[in-house]
Every structure is written in structure tokens, then in C-alpha cells.
Amino acid sequence: DAGVIQSPRHEVTEMGQEVTLRCKPISGHDYLFWYRQTMMRGLELLIYFNNNVPIDDSGMPEDRFSAKMPNASFSTLKIQPSEPRDSAVYFCASSLTAYYNEQFFGPGTRLTVL
Amino acid sequence: KQEVTQIPAALSVPEGENLVLNCSFTDSAIYNLQWFRQDPGKGLTSLLLIQSSQREQTSGRLNASLDKSSGRSTLYIAASQPGDSATYLCAVSSGYALNFGKGTSLLVTP
């Protein structure tokens, strides 16, 4: 398996623009997680899905953030409108189950909002 | 809320040394603990996963221990090499999500 795939790897945009980050989980994994990493706060969970259904989005910072998982092999994280404080590395991860299995991380998307 | 702390924040050692990285967590009700490696500008690579019922896991030169009752885990790296230079992250699962420490930045000098 190719592992978790994320695109784009780097994104530079201007404040106010819409940003869409993409993720393909490992085939057969039922859980998908979106995390954000910043110097100040480290790695934090934004939202997770089980069998394509969002289960907990309490980590999503504001209504400007939204995430979807239209099928088992694709998820998006959208920021609209983007702000400079959204600049961070966004990671997608997947696992077979939520409690006892390893989470496998993608390479991340480094987002810079000017 | 689960708080995960890693000490030291940074460590520099000469090649060949054995070293220990520390991780502590506040809530002992965990499912598992994972150690990750992160290289600059890269994603997270899973190194070891210890289930709550286990005491330790080994992979090559790496050995991770878990003392759930005291809320501590250690990652032991034997015979360190310059290629081990990276940030090491400890993450605790108390449910569906992983709670991460801030990491230990390791530099192994030739």
C-alpha cells in the first residue's frame, strides 16, 4: 500500500481565499483523522470520521473550517475564508480501529496564508 | 483532559551513545501509547505501539517501556547514529484521538 496520501504538499495563499486540502487514507482503514501542527500548540485533532461519517468535530477551530468524506478513499478539509493564523501543517491519518490500532500519518500539507 | 509532557525538549549526544527519551501523561486510563519520529518538513513515522496491557515493545535498536500506573513511558535508543537525528513524539490514546507531547528534538553528532 502507498500509505496515506495528501495533496498538495505545500500551499501558499492569500488571506480570504478558499483552501482545500485532500487526503486518501490507507485502503481498508475505517477511521480517518485530521490533525493540525503548529509550533505553539503542537499536534491537535481537528475532526475524525468513522466509515465516512464525521464523529467528532469539536477540534475544528471555527466555522470557517469544514471537512467531508464522500467515500472511503477520499476526504477534504476546507478553510473558507483563510486567515494568516491558519498557517500550519495539516496532517491526515488513518487506522483500522480507533482505540487499539496504530494511526498512520500522511506527509502533511504545509499551509501558508499571507 | 489528557496532558502529555516530553522531557527533555532537546538533546544532543555523540554518536554511539545510548539514550533515553521520557514521556509522561496525566490520565492513566489509556488504550495505547505510540512513539513517532518526525524528520524536518516530513510526516510522522510510527516507531512503536504499546498497548495498555503491555510493559514494553522492541524494534531493532529501539525499546519503549510503559508504566501506566505512574503515567510514564521511555524510549531507549541503543548505539545512536547520526541518522537517528529527528524529533521524537510521544502520543497517548485515551479513546479515538491521539494526544501528543511537544516532542524531543534529538541531534546525534558524528
Side-chain angles (χ1 to χ4, degrees), chain A residues 17-71:
Chain A
Q17 296 298 306
E18 177 179 295
V19 175
T20 299
L21 312 181
R22 297 172 177 80
C23 174
K24 176 179 168 53
I26 294 172
S27 177
H29 282 191
D30 290 336
Y31 287 81
L32 183 140
F33 306 84
W34 283 100
Y35 290 87
R36 179 170 68 173
Q37 185 177 37
T38 62
M39 289 292 292
M40 288 293 293
R41 300 174 68 89
L43 269 153
E44 299 177 298
L45 179 72
L46 299 176
I47 185 172
Y48 85 98
F49 294 82
N50 176 23
N51 291 324
N52 313 336
V53 177
I55 303 301
D56 187 344
D57 65 354
S58 59
M60 298 282 261
E62 299 172 36
D63 291 345
R64 298 184 296 106
F65 286 69
S66 63
K68 294 182 179 180
M69 192 165 185
N71 57 62

Side-chain angles (χ1 to χ4, degrees), chain B residues 23-37:
Chain B
C23 172
S24 62
F25 47 95
T26 54
D27 186 350
S28 61
I30 67 170
Y31 288 92
N32 59 53
L33 184 147
Q34 247 179 293
W35 281 94
F36 292 88
R37 168 184 173 140

Side-chain angles (χ1 to χ4, degrees), chain B residues 61-74:
Chain B
R61 294 182 294 108
L62 305 179
N63 176 277
S65 68
L66 174 64
D67 184 342
K68 199 172 64 166
S69 61
S70 67
R72 287 188 291 187
S73 175
T74 61

Side-chain angles (χ1 to χ4, degrees), chain A residues 9 33 35 37 39-43 45 48 56 58 91 98-108 110, chain B residues 31-32 34 36 38 41-44 46-49 51-52 89 93-102:
Chain A
R9 294 292 311 277
F33 306 84
Y35 290 87
Q37 185 177 37
M39 289 292 292
M40 288 293 293
R41 300 174 68 89
L43 269 153
L45 179 72
Y48 85 98
D56 187 344
S58 59
F91 288 103
Y99 292 88
Y100 295 104
N101 288 89
E102 283 181 274
Q103 288 190 21
F104 294 89
F105 281 70
R110 181 173 296 277
Chain B
Y31 288 92
N32 59 53
Q34 247 179 293
F36 292 88
Q38 185 173 27
K42 305 286 187 179
L44 280 68
S46 180
L47 298 174
L48 289 164
L49 171 72
Q51 301 293 354
S52 61
L89 293 158
S93 170
S94 303
Y96 50 83
L98 289 176
N99 291 287
F100 283 85
K102 293 288 181 66

